[in-house]
Amino acid sequence: MMLACQRFVSVVRNSRTLSRHVTTWSPVGAAFNAQQRKGLFGVPALSTPAGFEVAQQRALRETEQLVEIACNNPPGALTVETFDQLSDSLCKVADLADFVKVGHPDPAFRDAAEKACINIGTVVERLNTNVELCRSLKNLLDNKEVLDSLDPDTRRVAELFMFDFEISGIHLDESKRGKAVSLNVNLLDLNNEFLNGTHLPNRIEKTALPEHIRHCFSIDGNSIQIGGLHADSPDELVREAAYKIFLFPNSSLLLCLDDLLTCRNELAKLVGYESFAHRALNGTMAKTPETVMKFLELLTDKLSDRTAKDFNLMRDMKMKMNSRSTVLMPWDHSYFSSAVRAERYKIDPSLYSPYFSLGACMEGLNMLFSQLLGVSFRNEQPMAGEVWSEEVRKLAVVHETEGLLGYIYCDFFRRPDKPHQDCHFTIQGGRLKKDGEYQHPVVVLMLSLPPPTRSTPTLLNPGMMENLFHEMGHAMHSMLGRTRYQHVTGTRCSTDFAEVPSILMEFFATDYRVVNQFARHYQTGQPLPKSMVSRLCESKRICGAADTQLQVFYAALDQVYHGKPQNRSTTDILKKIQEKFYGLPYVPNTAWQLRFSHLIGYGAKYYSYLMSRAIASMVWRQCFQKDPFNRDMGERYRREMLAHGGSKEPMLMVQGKEKETDQGFHHDDNVDFKTVTEFNGCDKRTEDG
């Protein structure tokens, strides 16, 4: 304290000495000289990495107060509102930190954010086993009179919070609850370790590779660093070398994955489930791992003939291109499926890119949302310190009658230390506040696009354009949700439903009527010829079954890893599942599972992409195929699906069994896994030629 006082006196003394040199500015001058600086996302504390500690402490103080309110008030709607405030307070730190730990260019910010994630995660796990807190919620759910007085959304959110308690082991005795917390905290560390390891490059001595292909990789002294599969390289040797080196087993990461799966299984068994998959799927549309595996097996049977035909087409193309070997290998799939499409439909991505400038694509999204939903984007200038890179753009999402809906931060360009992945992060969830105002949702869209040059704007190939539409589907799910509670806002819903809005956007991205509105050559202004769009759409049918089957393999592997323990190595399991669900041979001394980063965020739920694609296909065909700009359908899509987030059972929304409307999306359909398998099998993206 004495040192602090001396330092304060010194500052005062120096300020007095310098005071005669200070200029008093006019209001105009002061306005231009003022440093209007905020922290990340406008959070004042986060102008420095140390601010994460400040934000954590504030959230923990709020947590203590809210826990006391929840435990000491009579059961009622206030109980649920307090729980949601509690969730919101912690999520505002944890969700923001979850993005910063991977997206911020400053290692100090990333480290501080990672610590915040672990600290908040630990607090959450302890709250999930807080008996007194759980009792306050149970008193509400056990009181029929009080329960009947709640609106449906409030009741569902109360049930979801209770579900969190149950899967965390609230019913266990004190020692076992403590063990459950320890297992969950251990999982936070294992998740981070594995996720970080999935992105690390592998190194090999430079002399181990033929001299003529070394330049294709990153050279560091006497070693070569390989950080990806180079799946689109025309050089077969480059693809093979990258596959074998990038996927070469890392012994410490293999142990980490073993520990991760063991820990997940132990936790699931401790809280009363047969396996981690049973625990993870309890709140989804699928409900059980048995249902998921049945879905994957049905889909495999339906695709088998077309998958075999696709692989034959790839083998023929490999022979035609005079490859060293005529055996089709896993490193060939992406390259030769693209080659078959290119030959049959004359698809050259470089011919499309000039029509898909980033500005044109964003204009296209703006026009589509405006016509379909009455929503538009407005560019906003962020304050100093609000964004983590000068390339980040801030968009306000505005409805024509409702006004501001929320904010999207667009982090679109590649940069060093930024993950090469396209994803959506929720920073702040929407909810109705006590004062009647709506807390606007805030999200980040992160892409890996090439930056513009002095003479050329950022140009997207067709795949990049589809990915942009896909991720914007997630963002608009967040923006258009208007839930009372943030616990169920936007994408905070069942995982196998969360991908539906984003995959639906891919259908818009490949419809000529939509593309024709924005695809213009960045130099001449000429529209993209309809024949080029038609060829692009038709080409998606080629090898689509094999592409889908690869996703089935990934989903099946995820299920088996999280099912009952196999007493075999994860690599041995991969070999068996690859043989049954894929068709191309396993490559010795490789461990693809160590690059399967979705095991963390989608553990036992990777099948969700396939399920969501089938449902998106149904929505497209029944609602937008005739007219992708149909405003009535757009409004209905928002009203019956997007607006609810996770506040309604997803299967009810899919089946259209809403009580408040007599016209659902699939009112006459009995939607089950057999039905969605049919739609997956006949989706235009999985048909052959």
Side-chain angles (χ1 to χ4, degrees):
M1 177 63 73
M2 182 60 69
L3 288 173
C5 290
Q6 287 174 346
R7 187 161 58 246
F8 175 72
V9 170
S10 175
V11 171
V12 172
R13 186 182 300 121
N14 289 337
S15 69
R16 287 172 180 165
T17 304
L18 297 171
S19 63
R20 60 179 174 272
H21 300 295
V22 174
T23 301
T24 302
W25 298 101
S26 69
V28 173
F32 280 91
N33 277 346
Q35 287 291 312
Q36 291 181 300
R37 187 171 185 83
K38 290 189 175 184
L40 291 171
F41 299 102
V43 179
L46 297 182
S47 56
T48 66
F52 273 104
E53 180 64 29
V54 176
Q56 286 177 73
Q57 292 306 317
R58 184 185 301 119
L60 294 180
R61 286 194 299 272
E62 290 177 5
T63 296
E64 290 177 3
Q65 295 167 2
L66 291 166
V67 167
E68 188 171 343
I69 293 171
C71 293
N72 292 296
N73 275 284
L78 178 61
T79 306
V80 183
E81 291 168 10
T82 305
F83 267 78
D84 192 64
Q85 280 183 270
L86 181 57
S87 173
D88 185 53
S89 180
L90 293 170
C91 284
K92 280 180 179 174
V93 179
D95 289 342
L96 192 154
D98 196 45
F99 164 70
V100 172
K101 75 177 184 181
V102 297
H104 203 289
D106 185 342
F109 266 102
R110 294 201 300 269
D111 290 345
E114 185 166 321
K115 289 175 184 174
C117 282
I118 292 173
N119 292 339
I120 296 293
T122 302
V123 171
V124 170
E125 296 308 333
R126 287 175 179 156
L127 289 173
N128 283 341
T129 53
N130 184 314
V131 175
E132 190 178 355
L133 189 62
C134 178
R135 187 179 295 118
S136 70
L137 189 62
K138 193 172 188 304
N139 288 340
L140 180 151
L141 292 170
D142 288 346
N143 189 322
K144 188 177 185 305
E145 184 179 346
V146 172
L147 199 60
D148 289 344
S149 70
L150 302 180
D151 62 86
D153 287 1
T154 301
R155 184 184 302 190
R156 175 161 169 79
V157 170
E159 291 168 348
L160 289 172
F161 277 121
M162 180 55 75
F163 177 68
D164 290 339
F165 279 120
E166 290 169 351
I167 66 171
S168 298
I170 194 67
H171 54 285
L172 303 174
D173 61 39
E174 187 175 353
S175 64
K176 289 182 178 179
R177 286 199 307 274
K179 186 176 182 182
V181 171
S182 296
L183 287 170
N184 272 309
V185 171
N186 189 31
L187 278 172
L188 293 174
D189 292 329
L190 289 170
N191 288 345
N192 279 331
E193 181 183 347
F194 184 76
L195 198 56
N196 290 335
T198 61
H199 301 301
L200 289 178
N202 276 341
R203 291 176 177 271
I204 193 171
E205 289 293 319
K206 189 164 62 174
T207 54
L209 290 181
E211 189 173 353
H212 73 279
I213 68 168
R214 294 174 190 169
H215 70 280
C216 297
F217 307 109
S218 176
I219 299 176
D220 184 12
N222 291 321
S223 65
I224 286 177
Q225 182 172 283
I226 298 182
L229 292 174
H230 293 253
D232 297 325
S233 172
D235 191 318
E236 183 179 4
L237 196 56
V238 170
R239 298 195 307 275
E240 180 179 353
Y243 190 93
K244 291 181 174 178
I245 296 168
F246 185 60
L247 299 184
F248 189 79
N250 177 307
S251 57
S252 63
L253 204 57
L254 281 170
L255 286 174
C256 175
L257 179 57
D258 286 341
D259 290 344
L260 174 66
L261 297 176
T262 299
C263 192
R264 283 179 170 177
N265 182 67
E266 188 176 353
L267 174 63
K269 296 295 284 288
L270 179 66
V271 299
Y273 289 89
E274 289 182 51
S275 69
F276 184 82
H278 285 87
R279 179 180 183 265
L281 295 172
N282 200 349
T284 64
M285 286 192 288
K287 304 297 183 187
T288 68
E290 291 80 12
T291 308
V292 174
M293 288 306 294
K294 182 180 179 183
F295 168 57
L296 297 176
E297 287 165 356
L298 279 169
L299 192 50
T300 297
D301 289 344
K302 188 165 187 66
L303 293 172
S304 59
D305 290 344
R306 282 176 285 168
T307 299
K309 185 177 179 181
D310 287 351
F311 283 143
N312 286 334
L313 286 172
M314 294 181 210
R315 286 189 191 95
D316 291 344
M317 180 58 69
K318 189 171 184 177
M319 293 175 66
K320 190 174 182 178
M321 296 177 73
N322 299 313
S323 293
R324 294 178 298 114
S325 167
T326 57
V327 178
L328 194 67
M329 299 299 290
W331 56 77
D332 293 326
H333 183 144
S334 177
Y335 180 74
F336 285 112
S337 62
S338 296
V340 171
R341 292 183 188 110
E343 180 188 64
R344 186 167 295 193
Y345 289 101
K346 304 297 185 286
I347 302 297
D348 180 352
S350 66
L351 298 179
Y352 286 83
S353 293
Y355 296 91
F356 294 142
S357 68
L358 179 56
C361 292
M362 291 302 293
E363 272 298 313
L365 285 163
N366 201 25
M367 287 187 289
L368 175 63
F369 293 138
S370 178
Q371 294 179 63
L372 200 62
L373 296 157
V375 169
S376 60
F377 299 143
R378 184 179 68 210
N379 187 55
E380 290 211 351
Q381 183 63 36
M383 303 286 280
E386 186 179 347
V387 296
W388 49 100
S389 169
E390 62 181 12
E391 297 171 335
V392 175
R393 300 290 180 265
K394 180 183 179 183
L395 296 180
V397 180
V398 183
H399 190 272
E400 59 189 23
T401 59
E402 298 171 31
L404 179 66
L405 295 181
Y407 294 100
I408 303 173
Y409 289 82
C410 301
D411 186 359
F412 284 170
F413 303 117
R414 299 170 188 157
R415 61 175 178 271
D417 295 326
K418 178 183 173 182
H420 291 288
Q421 59 186 28
D422 299 341
C423 45
H424 160 274
F425 292 87
T426 297
I427 303 300
Q428 175 174 279
R431 72 182 180 98
L432 187 63
K433 296 190 290 186
K434 283 187 174 181
D435 61 6
E437 292 291 314
Y438 199 78
Q439 177 173 288
H440 295 124
V442 178
V443 304
V444 171
L445 289 191
M446 190 164 75
L447 305 179
S448 298
L449 302 178
T453 66
R454 287 186 176 181
S455 58
T456 310
T458 291
L459 302 178
L460 283 62
N461 62 38
M464 292 174 180
M465 185 269 286
E466 277 192 51
N467 285 347
L468 171 62
F469 272 63
H470 177 103
E471 297 303 334
M472 194 59 76
H474 283 307
M476 295 307 289
H477 194 180
S478 295
M479 295 297 111
L480 292 167
R482 274 302 176 266
T483 55
R484 180 175 174 182
Y485 302 102
Q486 72 83 37
H487 192 65
V488 290
T489 186
T491 56
R492 298 196 207 277
C493 58
S494 172
T495 309
D496 48 11
F497 182 76
E499 293 293 332
V500 171
S502 54
I503 292 174
L504 181 63
M505 285 299 297
E506 296 176 24
F507 287 84
F508 287 97
T510 51
D511 186 287
Y512 178 73
R513 294 164 294 181
V514 176
V515 175
N516 185 53
Q517 284 213 344
F518 69 88
R520 297 285 185 277
H521 197 286
Y522 78 99
Q523 290 175 315
T524 66
Q526 291 297 309
L528 179 66
K530 185 174 183 178
S531 60
M532 289 181 68
V533 180
S534 298
R535 291 203 309 272
L536 185 64
C537 293
E538 289 294 315
S539 73
K540 291 182 180 297
R541 298 181 178 182
I542 298 295
C543 300
D547 292 346
T548 300
Q549 193 59 53
L550 180 59
Q551 294 299 312
V552 172
F553 159 49
Y554 295 160
L557 183 67
D558 175 45
Q559 284 299 306
V560 175
Y561 277 167
H562 290 102
K564 296 176 182 177
Q566 299 283 306
N567 299 316
R568 290 179 295 162
S569 72
T570 55
T571 302
D572 285 340
I573 293 171
L574 181 141
K575 290 180 192 176
K576 182 177 179 180
I577 299 301
Q578 184 166 336
E579 180 182 341
K580 180 178 179 181
F581 284 99
Y582 186 23
L584 297 186
Y586 166 77
V587 179
N589 297 314
T590 63
W592 177 84
Q593 72 272 24
L594 300 184
R595 303 297 181 179
F596 195 8
S597 60
H598 282 81
L599 286 174
I600 301 305
Y602 281 77
K605 298 178 183 178
Y606 191 79
Y607 77 93
S608 298
Y609 286 101
L610 292 163
M611 171 61 70
S612 294
R613 183 165 295 282
I615 294 170
S617 175
M618 290 193 286
V619 174
W620 171 259
R621 292 174 189 221
Q622 296 191 23
C623 301
F624 300 112
Q625 191 170 49
K626 288 182 180 178
D627 179 7
F629 305 109
N630 187 313
R631 181 64 177 268
D632 289 339
M633 280 297 183
E635 295 285 359
R636 186 169 145 204
Y637 171 55
R638 180 191 180 187
R639 183 177 65 251
E640 296 182 13
M641 295 184 83
L642 297 183
H644 300 300
S647 65
K648 290 190 180 297
E649 281 281 357
M651 195 57 89
L652 292 180
M653 289 188 282
V654 172
Q655 291 175 325
K657 292 178 179 176
E658 304 280 4
K659 291 182 180 179
E660 63 268 23
T661 178
D662 60 358
Q663 188 181 27
F665 278 101
H666 310 289
H667 189 68
D668 297 323
D669 291 341
N670 178 22
V671 181
D672 56 18
F673 271 71
K674 186 175 181 181
T675 303
V676 296
T677 301
E678 292 294 321
F679 272 92
N680 237 326
C682 66
D683 189 308
K684 66 180 180 181
R685 289 160 175 74
T686 60
E687 288 176 353
D688 58 41

